[in-house]
Amino acid sequence: MQTKFLELSPEVASATILLAHGAGAPMDSPAMTAIAEVLMEQGLRVIRFEFSYMAKRRTEGTRKPPPRAEKLNSEYLAAIEELHADGPLIIGGKSMGGRVASMIADELFEADHIAGLLCVGYPFHPIGKPEKLRTEHLKHLQTPTMICQGTRDQFGSKDEVDEYEFSAAIQMRWFEDGDHDLKPRKRVSGFTRADHISSMSTAVSSWVESLVG
């Protein structure tokens, strides 16, 4: 099945960021759209795509659950192949999409096909199961990586993640009181989700500039 891409592009882009969605929401969800829009405003070409199980939800009207993340690796690789991106390419995604990208990143980085990896709301463990870590490969990751995470994310809070062992290639960017969508409680933190999304875009833009010049 041919991959359908959703693109937001400035007139001149310093790099392309390919983003996959999370397990339960499509590529045009409000969270994914907000991320794409602010990154595009930073001069980045942002392209989203859907895994086949999510695309079938649109055509078949079903709520088929996602397969195991590892089984989506080949679909992500196929999307990169179809994209034929010009210039520097960064792969990543929201939640599960970022996790899938993280599992294929090193082979692509070593082959000089990508410049980096961007994860927003990484699912370090299932909700309520902090012992079931999804971090083993992150200990040895060689690809320059930025993970943007809310401090109270149920898939990995700051208190939990601070105890994990990571590769030096990974840069964590924390958002105060943010949940899995980086949304804070304004009365608690003084921040809005728009504040955090804007701060995220600035941080990502600076990070991308450090990778691609």
Side-chain angles (χ1 to χ4, degrees), residues 51-132:
F51 296 114
S52 59
Y53 83 89
M54 184 62 72
K56 286 178 181 177
R57 288 185 180 183
R58 296 180 186 273
T59 57
E60 298 176 2
T62 61
R63 291 284 297 178
K64 185 178 180 181
R68 292 179 61 85
E70 295 84 352
K71 294 186 177 295
L72 297 172
N73 291 3
S74 60
E75 287 193 39
Y76 206 124
L77 289 167
I80 294 169
E81 186 71 22
E82 283 187 51
L83 183 61
H84 296 298
D86 292 325
L89 173 64
I90 292 160
I91 63 171
K94 176 77 174 69
S95 193
M96 183 193 72
R99 182 184 173 208
V100 174
S102 74
M103 291 188 284
I104 61 172
D106 272 359
E107 62 181 281
L108 295 166
F109 181 68
E110 289 167 9
D112 203 28
H113 293 325
I114 65 170
L117 168 70
L118 173 65
C119 302
V120 181
Y122 189 91
F124 290 100
H125 59 72
I127 291 178
K129 297 180 179 179
E131 73 283 357
K132 294 186 178 296

Coordinates of all heavy atoms in Angstrom, one line a residue, residues 51-132:
F51 N 0.9 4.6 9.7 CA 1.1 3.1 9.5 C -0.2 2.5 9.0 O -1.3 3.1 9.1 CB 1.4 2.5 10.9 CG 2.7 3.0 11.4 CD1 2.7 3.7 12.6 CD2 3.9 2.7 10.8 CE1 3.9 4.2 13.2 CE2 5.1 3.2 11.3 CZ 5.1 3.9 12.5
S52 N -0.1 1.4 8.3 CA -1.2 0.8 7.6 C -2.5 0.5 8.5 O -3.6 0.7 8.1 CB -0.8 -0.4 6.9 OG -0.3 -1.4 7.8
Y53 N -2.2 0.1 9.7 CA -3.4 -0.2 10.6 C -4.2 1.1 10.9 O -5.4 1.0 11.0 CB -2.9 -0.8 11.9 CG -2.5 0.2 13.0 CD1 -3.4 0.7 13.9 CD2 -1.1 0.6 13.0 CE1 -3.0 1.7 14.8 CE2 -0.7 1.5 14.0 CZ -1.6 2.0 14.9 OH -1.2 2.9 15.8
M54 N -3.5 2.2 11.0 CA -4.3 3.5 11.2 C -4.9 3.9 9.9 O -6.1 4.4 10.0 CB -3.3 4.5 11.7 CG -4.0 5.9 12.1 SD -5.2 5.7 13.4 CE -4.1 5.5 14.9
A55 N -4.3 3.8 8.8 CA -4.9 4.2 7.5 C -6.1 3.4 7.3 O -7.1 3.9 6.7 CB -3.9 4.0 6.4
K56 N -6.1 2.1 7.7 CA -7.3 1.2 7.4 C -8.5 1.7 8.3 O -9.6 1.4 7.9 CB -6.9 -0.2 7.7 CG -6.1 -0.9 6.7 CD -5.7 -2.3 7.0 CE -4.8 -2.9 5.9 NZ -4.4 -4.3 6.3
R57 N -8.2 2.3 9.4 CA -9.3 2.8 10.3 C -10.1 3.8 9.5 O -11.4 3.9 9.7 CB -8.8 3.4 11.5 CG -8.2 2.4 12.6 CD -7.8 3.2 13.8 NE -7.2 2.2 14.8 CZ -6.9 2.6 16.1 NH1 -7.0 3.9 16.4 NH2 -6.4 1.7 16.9
R58 N -9.5 4.6 8.6 CA -10.2 5.6 7.9 C -11.1 4.9 6.8 O -12.2 5.3 6.6 CB -9.2 6.5 7.2 CG -8.4 7.4 8.1 CD -7.4 8.2 7.3 NE -6.5 9.0 8.1 CZ -6.8 10.1 8.7 NH1 -7.9 10.7 8.5 NH2 -5.8 10.8 9.4
T59 N -10.5 3.9 6.1 CA -11.3 3.3 5.0 C -12.3 2.2 5.4 O -13.3 2.1 4.8 CB -10.3 2.7 4.0 OG1 -9.5 1.7 4.7 CG2 -9.4 3.7 3.4
E60 N -11.9 1.6 6.6 CA -12.8 0.4 7.0 C -13.7 0.8 8.2 O -14.6 0.0 8.5 CB -11.9 -0.8 7.4 CG -11.1 -1.3 6.2 CD -10.2 -2.4 6.6 OE1 -10.2 -2.8 7.8 OE2 -9.4 -2.9 5.7
G61 N -13.4 1.9 8.8 CA -14.3 2.4 9.9 C -14.1 1.5 11.1 O -15.0 1.5 12.0
T62 N -13.0 0.8 11.2 CA -12.8 -0.1 12.4 C -11.8 0.5 13.4 O -11.2 1.5 13.1 CB -12.2 -1.5 11.9 OG1 -11.0 -1.2 11.3 CG2 -13.2 -2.2 11.0
R63 N -11.7 -0.1 14.5 CA -10.7 0.4 15.5 C -9.7 -0.7 15.8 O -9.4 -1.1 17.0 CB -11.4 0.8 16.8 CG -12.3 2.0 16.7 CD -11.5 3.3 16.7 NE -10.7 3.5 17.9 CZ -9.9 4.5 18.1 NH1 -9.7 5.4 17.1 NH2 -9.2 4.6 19.2
K64 N -9.2 -1.3 14.7 CA -8.2 -2.3 14.9 C -7.0 -1.8 15.7 O -6.4 -0.8 15.4 CB -7.7 -2.8 13.5 CG -6.8 -4.0 13.6 CD -6.4 -4.4 12.1 CE -5.5 -5.6 12.2 NZ -5.1 -6.1 10.8
P65 N -6.6 -2.6 16.7 CA -5.5 -2.1 17.6 C -4.2 -2.2 16.8 O -4.0 -2.9 15.8 CB -5.5 -3.1 18.7 CG -6.1 -4.3 18.2 CD -7.2 -3.8 17.2
P66 N -3.2 -1.4 17.2 CA -1.9 -1.5 16.5 C -1.2 -2.8 16.8 O -1.4 -3.4 17.8 CB -1.1 -0.3 17.2 CG -1.7 -0.1 18.5 CD -3.2 -0.5 18.4
P67 N -0.3 -3.2 15.9 CA 0.5 -4.4 16.1 C 1.6 -4.0 17.1 O 1.7 -2.8 17.5 CB 1.1 -4.7 14.8 CG 1.1 -3.4 14.0 CD -0.1 -2.6 14.5
R68 N 2.4 -4.9 17.5 CA 3.6 -4.6 18.4 C 4.5 -3.6 17.6 O 4.7 -3.7 16.4 CB 4.4 -5.9 18.7 CG 3.6 -6.8 19.6 CD 4.5 -8.1 19.9 NE 5.7 -7.7 20.6 CZ 5.9 -7.6 21.9 NH1 4.8 -7.7 22.7 NH2 7.1 -7.3 22.4
A69 N 5.1 -2.7 18.4 CA 5.8 -1.6 17.7 C 6.9 -2.1 16.8 O 7.2 -1.6 15.7 CB 6.4 -0.7 18.8
E70 N 7.6 -3.2 17.2 CA 8.7 -3.8 16.4 C 8.2 -4.2 15.0 O 9.0 -4.1 14.1 CB 9.3 -5.0 17.1 CG 10.0 -4.7 18.4 CD 9.0 -4.6 19.6 OE1 7.8 -4.7 19.4 OE2 9.5 -4.5 20.8
K71 N 7.0 -4.6 14.9 CA 6.4 -5.0 13.6 C 6.2 -3.9 12.6 O 5.9 -4.1 11.5 CB 5.2 -5.8 13.8 CG 5.4 -7.1 14.6 CD 4.1 -8.0 14.6 CE 4.4 -9.3 15.3 NZ 5.3 -10.2 14.5
L72 N 6.3 -2.6 13.1 CA 6.1 -1.5 12.3 C 7.4 -0.9 11.7 O 7.4 0.0 10.9 CB 5.4 -0.4 13.1 CG 4.0 -0.7 13.5 CD1 3.4 0.3 14.5 CD2 3.0 -0.9 12.4
N73 N 8.5 -1.5 12.1 CA 9.8 -1.0 11.6 C 9.9 -1.0 10.1 O 10.4 0.0 9.5 CB 11.0 -1.9 12.2 CG 11.2 -1.7 13.7 OD1 10.4 -1.0 14.3 ND2 12.2 -2.4 14.2
S74 N 9.4 -2.0 9.5 CA 9.5 -2.1 8.0 C 8.7 -1.1 7.3 O 9.0 -0.5 6.3 CB 9.1 -3.5 7.5 OG 7.8 -3.8 7.9
E75 N 7.5 -0.7 7.9 CA 6.7 0.3 7.4 C 7.3 1.7 7.5 O 7.2 2.5 6.5 CB 5.3 0.3 8.1 CG 4.4 -0.9 7.7 CD 3.0 -0.6 8.2 OE1 2.5 0.5 8.1 OE2 2.4 -1.6 8.7
Y76 N 8.0 1.9 8.6 CA 8.7 3.2 8.7 C 9.8 3.3 7.6 O 10.0 4.3 7.0 CB 9.2 3.4 10.1 CG 9.4 4.9 10.5 CD1 8.8 5.4 11.6 CD2 10.1 5.7 9.7 CE1 8.9 6.7 12.0 CE2 10.2 7.1 10.0 CZ 9.6 7.6 11.1 OH 9.7 8.9 11.5
L77 N 10.6 2.2 7.5 CA 11.6 2.2 6.5 C 11.1 2.4 5.1 O 11.7 3.1 4.3 CB 12.4 0.9 6.6 CG 13.3 0.7 7.8 CD1 13.7 -0.8 7.9 CD2 14.5 1.6 7.8
A78 N 9.9 1.8 4.8 CA 9.3 1.9 3.5 C 8.9 3.4 3.2 O 9.0 3.9 2.1 CB 8.1 1.0 3.4
A79 N 8.4 4.0 4.3 CA 8.0 5.4 4.2 C 9.2 6.3 3.8 O 9.1 7.2 3.0 CB 7.3 5.9 5.5
I80 N 10.3 6.1 4.5 CA 11.5 6.8 4.2 C 11.9 6.6 2.8 O 12.3 7.6 2.1 CB 12.7 6.4 5.2 CG1 12.3 6.8 6.6 CG2 14.0 7.0 4.7 CD1 13.2 6.2 7.6
E81 N 11.9 5.4 2.3 CA 12.3 5.1 0.9 C 11.3 5.8 -0.1 O 11.8 6.4 -1.1 CB 12.2 3.6 0.7 CG 12.7 3.1 -0.6 CD 14.2 3.2 -0.8 OE1 14.9 3.2 0.3 OE2 14.7 3.2 -1.9
E82 N 10.0 5.8 0.2 CA 9.1 6.5 -0.7 C 9.3 8.0 -0.7 O 9.0 8.7 -1.7 CB 7.7 6.2 -0.3 CG 7.2 4.8 -0.7 CD 5.7 4.6 -0.4 OE1 4.9 5.5 -0.8 OE2 5.4 3.6 0.2
L83 N 9.7 8.6 0.4 CA 9.7 10.0 0.6 C 10.8 10.6 -0.3 O 10.6 11.7 -0.9 CB 10.0 10.4 2.1 CG 10.1 11.8 2.4 CD1 8.7 12.5 2.1 CD2 10.4 12.0 3.9
H84 N 12.0 10.0 -0.4 CA 13.1 10.5 -1.2 C 13.4 11.9 -0.8 O 13.4 12.9 -1.6 CB 12.8 10.5 -2.7 CG 12.6 9.1 -3.3 ND1 13.6 8.1 -3.3 CD2 11.5 8.5 -3.8 CE1 13.2 7.0 -3.8 NE2 11.9 7.2 -4.2
A85 N 13.6 12.2 0.4 CA 13.8 13.5 1.0 C 15.1 14.1 0.4 O 16.2 13.4 0.3 CB 13.9 13.5 2.5
D86 N 15.0 15.4 0.0 CA 16.2 16.1 -0.4 C 16.8 16.8 0.8 O 16.1 17.4 1.6 CB 15.9 17.2 -1.5 CG 15.5 16.5 -2.8 OD1 16.0 15.5 -3.1 OD2 14.6 17.1 -3.5
G87 N 18.1 16.8 1.0 CA 18.7 17.5 2.1 C 18.6 16.7 3.4 O 18.2 15.5 3.4
P88 N 19.0 17.3 4.5 CA 19.0 16.5 5.8 C 17.7 16.0 6.2 O 16.7 16.7 6.1 CB 19.5 17.6 6.8 CG 20.2 18.6 5.9 CD 19.5 18.6 4.7
L89 N 17.6 14.8 6.7 CA 16.4 14.2 7.1 C 16.5 13.8 8.6 O 17.5 13.1 9.0 CB 16.1 12.9 6.3 CG 14.9 12.1 6.7 CD1 13.6 12.8 6.6 CD2 14.8 10.8 5.9
I90 N 15.5 14.1 9.4 CA 15.4 13.7 10.8 C 14.1 12.9 10.9 O 13.0 13.3 10.4 CB 15.3 14.9 11.7 CG1 16.7 15.6 11.7 CG2 14.9 14.5 13.1 CD1 16.6 17.0 12.1
I91 N 14.2 11.7 11.5 CA 13.0 10.9 11.6 C 12.5 10.9 13.1 O 13.3 11.3 14.0 CB 13.2 9.4 11.2 CG1 14.3 8.8 12.1 CG2 13.6 9.4 9.7 CD1 14.4 7.3 11.8
G92 N 11.3 10.5 13.3 CA 10.8 10.5 14.7 C 9.3 10.4 14.7 O 8.7 9.8 13.8
G93 N 8.7 10.9 15.8 CA 7.2 10.8 15.9 C 6.7 11.0 17.3 O 7.5 11.3 18.3
K94 N 5.4 10.9 17.4 CA 4.8 11.1 18.7 C 4.6 9.7 19.3 O 4.1 8.8 18.7 CB 3.4 11.7 18.4 CG 2.5 11.8 19.7 CD 2.9 13.0 20.5 CE 1.9 13.2 21.6 NZ 1.9 12.2 22.6
S95 N 5.0 9.6 20.6 CA 4.8 8.3 21.3 C 5.3 7.1 20.6 O 6.5 7.0 20.3 CB 3.3 8.2 21.7 OG 3.1 7.2 22.7
M96 N 4.4 6.2 20.2 CA 4.8 5.0 19.6 C 5.6 5.2 18.3 O 6.5 4.5 17.9 CB 3.6 4.1 19.3 CG 3.9 2.7 18.6 SD 2.5 1.9 18.0 CE 2.1 2.9 16.5
G97 N 5.1 6.3 17.5 CA 5.8 6.6 16.3 C 7.3 6.9 16.5 O 8.2 6.5 15.7
G98 N 7.6 7.6 17.6 CA 9.0 7.9 18.0 C 9.7 6.7 18.4 O 10.9 6.5 18.1
R99 N 9.0 5.8 19.1 CA 9.7 4.6 19.5 C 10.1 3.7 18.3 O 11.2 3.2 18.3 CB 8.7 3.8 20.4 CG 9.3 2.5 21.0 CD 8.3 1.7 21.8 NE 8.9 0.4 22.1 CZ 8.2 -0.7 22.4 NH1 6.8 -0.6 22.3 NH2 8.7 -1.8 22.7
V100 N 9.2 3.6 17.4 CA 9.5 2.8 16.2 C 10.7 3.5 15.4 O 11.6 2.8 15.1 CB 8.3 2.8 15.2 CG1 8.7 2.1 13.9 CG2 7.1 2.0 15.9
A101 N 10.7 4.8 15.3 CA 11.8 5.5 14.7 C 13.1 5.2 15.4 O 14.2 5.0 14.8 CB 11.5 7.0 14.6
S102 N 13.0 5.2 16.7 CA 14.2 4.9 17.5 C 14.8 3.6 17.3 O 16.1 3.4 17.5 CB 14.0 5.1 19.0 OG 13.2 4.1 19.6
M103 N 14.0 2.6 16.9 CA 14.5 1.2 16.7 C 15.2 1.0 15.4 O 15.9 0.1 15.2 CB 13.4 0.2 16.9 CG 12.9 0.1 18.3 SD 11.7 -1.2 18.6 CE 10.2 -0.5 17.9
I104 N 14.9 2.0 14.4 CA 15.6 1.9 13.1 C 16.6 2.9 12.9 O 17.3 3.0 11.9 CB 14.5 1.9 12.0 CG1 13.8 3.2 12.0 CG2 13.5 0.7 12.1 CD1 12.9 3.5 10.8
A105 N 16.8 3.9 13.8 CA 17.6 5.1 13.6 C 19.0 4.7 13.3 O 19.6 5.3 12.4 CB 17.4 6.0 14.8
D106 N 19.6 3.9 14.2 CA 21.1 3.7 14.0 C 21.5 3.1 12.7 O 22.5 3.6 12.1 CB 21.6 2.8 15.2 CG 21.9 3.6 16.4 OD1 21.8 4.9 16.4 OD2 22.3 3.0 17.4
E107 N 20.8 2.2 12.1 CA 21.2 1.7 10.9 C 21.1 2.7 9.8 O 21.9 2.8 8.8 CB 20.3 0.5 10.5 CG 18.8 0.8 10.3 CD 18.0 -0.5 9.9 OE1 18.0 -0.9 8.7 OE2 17.3 -1.0 10.8
L108 N 20.2 3.6 9.9 CA 20.0 4.7 8.9 C 21.1 5.8 9.1 O 21.7 6.3 8.2 CB 18.6 5.4 9.0 CG 17.5 4.4 8.7 CD1 16.2 5.0 9.1 CD2 17.4 4.2 7.2
F109 N 21.4 6.1 10.4 CA 22.4 7.1 10.7 C 23.8 6.6 10.3 O 24.6 7.4 9.7 CB 22.4 7.4 12.2 CG 23.4 8.4 12.6 CD1 23.2 9.8 12.2 CD2 24.5 8.1 13.4 CE1 24.1 10.7 12.6 CE2 25.4 9.1 13.8 CZ 25.2 10.4 13.4
E110 N 24.1 5.4 10.5 CA 25.4 4.8 10.1 C 25.5 4.8 8.6 O 26.7 4.9 8.1 CB 25.5 3.4 10.7 CG 25.7 3.3 12.2 CD 25.5 1.9 12.7 OE1 25.5 1.0 12.0 OE2 25.5 1.8 14.0
A111 N 24.4 4.7 7.9 CA 24.5 4.7 6.4 C 24.4 6.2 5.9 O 24.3 6.4 4.6 CB 23.3 3.9 5.8
D112 N 24.4 7.2 6.8 CA 24.3 8.6 6.4 C 23.0 8.9 5.7 O 22.9 9.8 4.8 CB 25.5 9.0 5.5 CG 25.8 10.4 5.6 OD1 25.5 11.1 6.6 OD2 26.3 11.0 4.5
H113 N 21.9 8.2 6.1 CA 20.6 8.5 5.5 C 19.8 9.5 6.3 O 18.8 10.1 5.8 CB 19.8 7.2 5.3 CG 20.3 6.3 4.3 ND1 20.9 6.7 3.1 CD2 20.4 4.9 4.3 CE1 21.3 5.7 2.4 NE2 21.0 4.6 3.1
I114 N 20.1 9.6 7.6 CA 19.4 10.5 8.5 C 20.4 11.3 9.3 O 21.5 10.9 9.5 CB 18.4 9.9 9.4 CG1 19.1 8.9 10.4 CG2 17.3 9.1 8.6 CD1 18.2 8.4 11.5
A115 N 20.0 12.5 9.8 CA 20.8 13.3 10.6 C 20.5 13.2 12.1 O 21.3 13.6 12.9 CB 20.7 14.8 10.2
G116 N 19.3 12.8 12.4 CA 18.9 12.7 13.8 C 17.6 12.1 14.0 O 16.9 11.6 13.1
L117 N 17.2 12.0 15.3 CA 15.9 11.4 15.7 C 15.2 12.3 16.7 O 15.8 12.8 17.7 CB 16.3 10.1 16.4 CG 15.2 9.4 17.2 CD1 14.1 8.8 16.3 CD2 15.8 8.2 18.1
L118 N 13.9 12.6 16.5 CA 13.1 13.4 17.3 C 11.9 12.6 17.9 O 11.1 12.1 17.1 CB 12.6 14.6 16.6 CG 11.6 15.6 17.3 CD1 12.3 16.2 18.5 CD2 11.1 16.6 16.4
C119 N 11.8 12.5 19.2 CA 10.7 11.9 19.8 C 9.9 12.8 20.7 O 10.5 13.5 21.5 CB 11.2 10.7 20.7 SG 12.1 9.4 19.7
V120 N 8.6 12.8 20.6 CA 7.8 13.7 21.4 C 6.9 12.8 22.3 O 6.1 12.0 21.7 CB 6.9 14.7 20.6 CG1 6.1 15.5 21.5 CG2 7.8 15.5 19.7
G121 N 7.1 12.8 23.6 CA 6.3 11.9 24.4 C 6.7 10.5 24.2 O 5.9 9.6 23.8
Y122 N 7.9 10.2 24.5 CA 8.4 8.8 24.3 C 7.7 7.9 25.4 O 7.7 8.2 26.6 CB 9.9 8.7 24.5 CG 10.5 7.3 24.1 CD1 10.9 7.1 22.8 CD2 10.5 6.3 25.0 CE1 11.3 5.9 22.4 CE2 11.0 5.0 24.6 CZ 11.4 4.8 23.3 OH 11.8 3.6 23.0
P123 N 7.2 6.7 24.9 CA 6.6 5.8 25.8 C 7.6 4.8 26.5 O 7.8 3.7 26.1 CB 5.6 5.0 24.9 CG 6.4 4.9 23.6 CD 7.1 6.2 23.5
F124 N 8.2 5.3 27.5 CA 9.3 4.6 28.2 C 8.8 3.3 28.8 O 9.5 2.3 28.9 CB 10.0 5.4 29.3 CG 10.8 6.6 28.7 CD1 10.3 7.9 28.7 CD2 12.0 6.3 28.2 CE1 11.0 8.9 28.2 CE2 12.8 7.4 27.7 CZ 12.3 8.7 27.7
H125 N 7.5 3.2 29.2 CA 6.9 2.0 29.7 C 5.4 2.2 29.5 O 4.9 3.3 29.3 CB 7.2 1.8 31.2 CG 6.8 3.0 32.1 ND1 5.5 3.2 32.4 CD2 7.6 3.9 32.7 CE1 5.4 4.3 33.2 NE2 6.7 4.7 33.4
P126 N 4.6 1.1 29.6 CA 3.2 1.2 29.5 C 2.7 1.9 30.8 O 3.3 1.9 31.8 CB 2.7 -0.3 29.5 CG 3.9 -1.1 29.1 CD 5.1 -0.3 29.6
I127 N 1.5 2.5 30.6 CA 0.9 3.2 31.8 C 0.7 2.2 32.9 O 0.1 1.2 32.7 CB -0.4 3.9 31.4 CG1 -0.2 5.1 30.4 CG2 -1.1 4.4 32.6 CD1 -1.4 5.7 29.9
G128 N 1.1 2.6 34.1 CA 0.9 1.8 35.3 C 1.9 0.6 35.4 O 1.7 -0.2 36.3
K129 N 2.8 0.5 34.5 CA 3.7 -0.7 34.5 C 5.2 -0.2 34.3 O 5.9 -0.5 33.3 CB 3.4 -1.7 33.4 CG 2.0 -2.3 33.5 CD 1.7 -3.3 32.4 CE 0.3 -3.9 32.6 NZ 0.0 -4.8 31.5
P130 N 5.7 0.6 35.3 CA 7.0 1.2 35.2 C 8.1 0.1 35.1 O 9.3 0.5 34.7 CB 7.1 2.0 36.4 CG 6.2 1.4 37.4 CD 5.0 0.9 36.6
E131 N 7.8 -1.1 35.5 CA 8.8 -2.2 35.5 C 9.0 -2.7 34.0 O 10.1 -3.3 33.8 CB 8.5 -3.3 36.4 CG 7.3 -4.2 35.9 CD 5.9 -3.6 36.1 OE1 5.8 -2.5 36.6 OE2 4.9 -4.3 35.7
K132 N 8.1 -2.5 33.1 CA 8.2 -3.0 31.8 C 8.8 -1.9 30.9 O 8.2 -1.3 30.0 CB 6.8 -3.4 31.3 CG 6.2 -4.6 32.0 CD 4.9 -5.0 31.3 CE 4.3 -6.2 32.0 NZ 5.2 -7.4 31.9

